[in-house]
Amino acid sequence: MKINHAILHILDFDSAVNVMSERELDFDTRAVRSFVSSHLRRARTSVDNRRAAFSEESAFAGELKGYFFGDREFVDLSQQIAEFFAAELAKADKMESTDVLVADFDDDDDVRWFAVLLMASRTAFMHEVAVRNDIAKRYAILPAPSQKVSSYALVRASSMEAFYVDKKRKIMGEDTLIIPEGLLQCESGVSGKEVIEAVTRIVEEVAEEHGANTA
């Protein structure tokens, strides 16, 4: 995997302060490179990914095409994406501090992708070393590289094919999928996992009907 660009924006609803980064992540640091590549690879290969097609009215599709053709700067576009999520998540019935990771990368097959990952912050308890060792609660803990991210979008540069995973959020009292309905503005399909489950169910039904072993 080759990461061309990556940046992290912070939406902190606990302190009511959002921090939009003006610089890309430094991949000279091994820990940063490993963290980002692990999450991108996990998202890219997940069987939960839903295939989607951009609607003709999708503003995001137009902005992304402009970026791929060199008419938009990466940092500027990423900030615009983060501002969108800041405005939408601020309307949620339960506001959740979130880090927005935006990346442009080539996968292991040299296919170029644009990715947007919403990394919900969590709390954790850590020890503090002093004259008296203590326990302190820490906020804004990022998900571990081995953890799944519950909301993200991937767009293939060559074909503008979109894939996403998302969870429902209560926004202004309504269940909303903020990735496909808000950011992408797309028509959604099914995931690879759902296709496998459907085929398995059909095979089992046919086998039972003909008295065959469902296994």
Side-chain angles (χ1 to χ4, degrees):
M1 175 180 289
K2 175 189 175 187
I3 302 174
N4 304 312
H5 305 280
I7 195 167
L8 189 71
H9 302 294
I10 301 168
L11 310 181
D12 189 345
F13 297 113
D14 294 313
S15 64
V17 176
N18 297 328
V19 182
M20 304 300 170
S21 180
E22 296 182 359
R23 294 184 180 181
E24 297 179 26
L25 291 169
D26 181 6
F27 285 101
D28 289 337
T29 305
R30 183 178 179 181
V32 174
R33 186 170 63 252
S34 175
F35 176 85
V36 174
S37 60
S38 294
H39 279 294
L40 292 178
R41 182 171 285 108
R42 180 178 292 274
R44 169 67 187 87
T45 58
S46 175
V47 296
D48 294 324
N49 290 346
R50 288 178 175 270
R51 187 186 299 268
F54 287 109
S55 68
E56 293 182 0
E57 295 77 24
S58 174
F60 179 71
E63 297 288 348
L64 196 52
K65 284 180 181 177
Y67 168 70
F68 286 141
F69 283 112
D71 298 328
R72 292 293 310 272
E73 294 293 330
F74 175 78
V75 173
D76 178 59
L77 177 58
S78 74
Q79 290 174 339
Q80 184 177 334
I81 293 169
E83 292 286 0
F84 164 79
F85 283 119
E88 292 300 306
L89 293 175
K91 303 173 189 173
D93 295 4
K94 181 183 177 182
M95 289 191 293
E96 190 176 42
S97 292
T98 302
D99 287 356
V100 182
L101 176 64
V102 183
D104 173 344
F105 71 99
D106 297 339
D107 65 17
D108 295 332
D109 296 320
D110 294 326
V111 177
R112 186 183 179 191
W113 296 84
F114 189 89
V116 180
L117 284 72
L118 298 186
M119 298 182 162
S121 300
R122 60 187 178 86
T123 57
F125 290 92
M126 303 173 65
H127 66 251
E128 287 188 335
V129 179
V131 175
R132 181 191 68 190
N133 294 339
D134 210 341
I135 296 174
K137 194 173 186 179
R138 290 286 181 264
Y139 297 88
I141 305 297
L142 289 166
S146 59
Q147 287 182 289
K148 286 185 177 181
V149 175
S150 60
S151 295
Y152 60 82
L154 295 163
V155 181
R156 189 196 300 262
S158 60
S159 63
M160 291 298 289
E161 269 187 294
F163 299 84
Y164 74 89
V165 166
D166 202 4
K167 64 178 183 179
K168 288 184 178 179
R169 294 174 172 83
K170 282 280 187 184
I171 296 181
M172 300 182 72
E174 294 186 5
D175 286 337
T176 303
L177 291 171
I178 196 171
I179 295 287
E181 297 170 10
L183 177 69
L184 299 178
Q185 298 172 330
C186 66
E187 299 172 3
S188 61
V190 296
S191 67
K193 183 179 180 181
E194 289 172 327
V195 171
I196 293 171
E197 290 174 347
V199 170
T200 301
R201 184 175 65 253
I202 293 169
V203 169
E204 289 176 347
E205 291 173 355
V206 172
E208 288 177 356
E209 185 177 340
H210 291 82
N213 189 331
T214 57

